Amino acid sequence: MEQFDIANDTHRRYNPLIGEWMLVSPHRGKRPWLGQQETPARQQLPEYDTNCYLCPGNERAGGVKNPQYRGPFVFTNDFSAITPNISDGNVDDGLFQAKSEKGICRVICFSPYHNKTIPQLSTDEVFQVVKLWQKEYVDLGAKEFINHIQIFENKGAAMGCSNPHPHCQIWAQQSVPEIVTKEDYNQKTYYETKGTQLLQDYVDRELEKKERIVFESKYFVALVPFWATWPFEIMILPKHSKPSIASLNDDELYDFSEMYRIVTCKYDNLFQTSFPYSAGVHQAPTDGKNHDYWTFHMHFYPPLFRSATVKKFMVGYEMLAEPQRDITAEQSAERLRQLGVVHYTIDKK
Ligand code: H2U
Ligand code: ZN
């Protein structure tokens, strides 16, 4: 038998952030593809749409009118999944347990432009968005009943996003949700045993190895994590650990905005399409406890695999057993690294 070769042989990889394993089958990524490969026609959206409930001056559900906003615009979600004014209560009947959950849901339109996604905005414009994330994290987190804040962007119809006007959401709530609880537990345990931060040590090793780096800026690094499950999954991590975006100065926050723009630009350039994804920032809970062991980071989970139309389904084995991928994280990082940082719709004459 030949020696184990991680680039070609089936193996499982460990995700130390959530404490779970996943399956990699590199040889399957090399099989011929007979499916469709076409690039769809570019979607042309207007800068302003009279029928869009997120555009400036338009009416939202319930009759509220948006102001004539010029930068990013934040409002409380008219269909909030979690609301602040419900009665406390719980059911505790053996196998039947339930608890009331309070919170606040907000929506942020990235800009007044109905047709400009993050990679099509300037870094100054993205900075204004991220600056608002910082403010919302601080303000919402200061509320006594808010212990966790999830900021996320759901982009594209493939991800079930119903409105093309570029926006993100904030769900601030009483409980720390499941995935973040796992990340919290694993970062805490690592810190208690080693005395260093898990993601700081991870970034240091990745910067040394240079096998999975997609882009490096002054303060941040974008990489395909060793344990990535989605084909072109990316994480943005600070080079020097910080518990949340609240601890970034404007210089660092600007650099983070540039990184957000570059990652999404590379994504669009990969299949010359507006690349769908779910992305979000994981940060220290706002429960007033000490979170020195935390490193904030941003995850990008995009479903596309082979082309603008062929996506990876997390079904079958993934739903019943554990996540699985074909091409390795190293191969994906290599492809993403090669892509330019000028958006493909800007014609180079
Ligand atoms: P989607 O993420 O579903 O595309 O919609 C944007 C968000 O805007 C969504 O969370 C909210 C939806 O609840 N929304 C309002 O708050 N007011 C409206 O008038 C329509 C949509
Ligand atoms: Zn709009």
Side-chain angles (χ1 to χ4, degrees):
M1 282 252 281
E2 282 180 35
Q3 230 188 346
F4 167 62
D5 171 15
I6 199 169
N8 289 298
D9 298 338
T10 300
H11 60 277
R12 290 170 85 213
R13 292 190 186 192
Y14 182 63
N15 178 343
L17 192 52
I18 55 167
E20 291 179 4
W21 290 82
M22 47 82 62
L23 185 69
V24 188
S25 324
H27 59 285
R28 281 176 32 109
K30 290 172 186 153
R31 74 189 194 275
W33 178 250
L34 302 172
Q36 70 227 102
Q37 282 274 15
E38 84 277 17
T39 302
R42 282 184 202 174
Q43 197 189 10
Q44 295 288 353
L45 290 173
E47 196 170 281
Y48 166 79
D49 180 350
T50 33
N51 297 315
C52 169
Y53 48 76
L54 297 180
C55 272
N58 293 358
E59 197 173 291
R60 299 206 308 272
V64 191
K65 247 189 183 182
N66 295 326
Q68 286 295 342
Y69 63 95
R70 289 168 189 281
F73 166 57
V74 62
F75 63 92
T76 297
N77 199 316
D78 301 306
F79 304 100
S80 298
I82 331 169
T83 55
N85 303 316
I86 57 151
S87 315
D88 289 327
N90 70 303
V91 173
D92 191 355
D93 179 11
L95 292 174
F96 304 89
Q97 294 194 41
K99 280 183 188 161
S100 57
E101 183 72 10
K102 287 183 187 176
I104 297 172
C105 292
R106 312 268 278 160
V107 178
I108 298 179
C109 298
F110 292 147
S111 83
Y113 309 116
H114 185 77
N115 58 354
K116 282 196 185 173
T117 59
I118 292 289
Q120 293 166 309
L121 293 173
S122 65
T123 303
D124 283 10
E125 287 167 323
V126 181
F127 175 69
Q128 288 182 49
V129 172
V130 177
K131 192 77 192 158
L132 191 52
W133 288 0
Q134 196 183 45
K135 182 181 182 317
E136 289 290 317
Y137 176 80
V138 172
D139 293 353
L140 291 167
K143 293 185 192 292
E144 189 271 324
F145 70 104
I146 297 294
N147 296 314
H148 181 261
I149 293 157
Q150 186 59 59
I151 301 174
F152 64 97
E153 179 190 1
N154 224 9
K155 183 183 174 227
M159 300 309 290
C161 186
S162 57
N163 188 320
H165 193 124
H167 65 279
C168 67
Q169 297 192 42
I170 302 177
W171 291 25
Q173 68 187 99
Q174 210 177 340
S175 304
V176 180
E178 288 298 328
I179 295 171
V180 185
T181 297
K182 285 183 194 166
E183 291 196 355
D184 185 81
Y185 172 81
N186 287 294
Q187 289 181 93
K188 190 173 184 201
T189 310
Y190 187 95
Y191 191 75
E192 284 168 357
T193 18
K194 307 229 180 200
T196 49
Q197 284 121 334
L198 188 158
L199 289 178
Q200 177 72 64
D201 287 356
Y202 176 64
V203 162
D204 290 347
R205 291 301 311 281
E206 287 287 16
L207 288 170
E208 235 171 69
K209 286 178 170 279
K210 298 204 185 304
E211 289 167 355
R212 283 166 293 273
I213 310 283
V214 173
F215 197 85
E216 231 186 286
S217 66
K218 191 170 173 195
Y219 300 112
F220 290 90
V221 57
L223 51 82
V224 179
F226 179 72
W227 53 82
T229 59
W230 291 95
F232 293 100
E233 182 175 330
I234 282 181
M235 263 174 101
I236 299 179
L237 290 141
K239 286 185 179 172
H240 298 288
S241 181
K242 306 272 163 124
S244 75
I245 48 174
S247 26
L248 297 184
N249 63 34
D250 279 1
D251 191 29
E252 293 162 328
L253 205 62
Y254 194 86
D255 194 58
F256 177 70
S257 315
E258 174 76 348
M259 194 54 126
Y260 186 12
R261 198 189 61 72
I262 285 174
V263 164
T264 54
C265 180
K266 278 177 173 275
Y267 271 161
D268 279 8
N269 289 349
L270 181 61
F271 298 130
Q272 308 236 321
T273 194
S274 185
F275 201 77
Y277 57 73
S278 276
V281 197
H282 279 153
Q283 312 190 67
T286 55
D287 52 9
K289 296 184 188 147
N290 182 354
H291 294 293
D292 283 348
Y293 53 90
W294 252 90
T295 302
F296 100 86
H297 54 273
M298 186 163 182
H299 293 282
F300 290 83
Y301 300 127
L304 294 185
F305 182 23
R306 289 189 182 271
S307 72
T309 49
V310 178
K311 59 181 183 177
K312 156 92 183 164
F313 291 98
M314 288 284 187
V315 294
Y317 185 81
E318 284 89 348
M319 281 185 133
L320 289 149
E322 66 187 18
Q324 180 272 346
R325 67 181 289 129
D326 292 347
I327 52 168
T328 61
E330 296 70 45
Q331 289 172 308
S332 299
E334 174 66 24
R335 281 190 70 181
L336 290 164
R337 190 165 48 237
Q338 303 294 342
L339 295 163
V341 297
V342 176
H343 201 258
Y344 73 96
T345 54
I346 300 169
D347 293 323
K348 284 162 275 173
K349 296 249 163 67

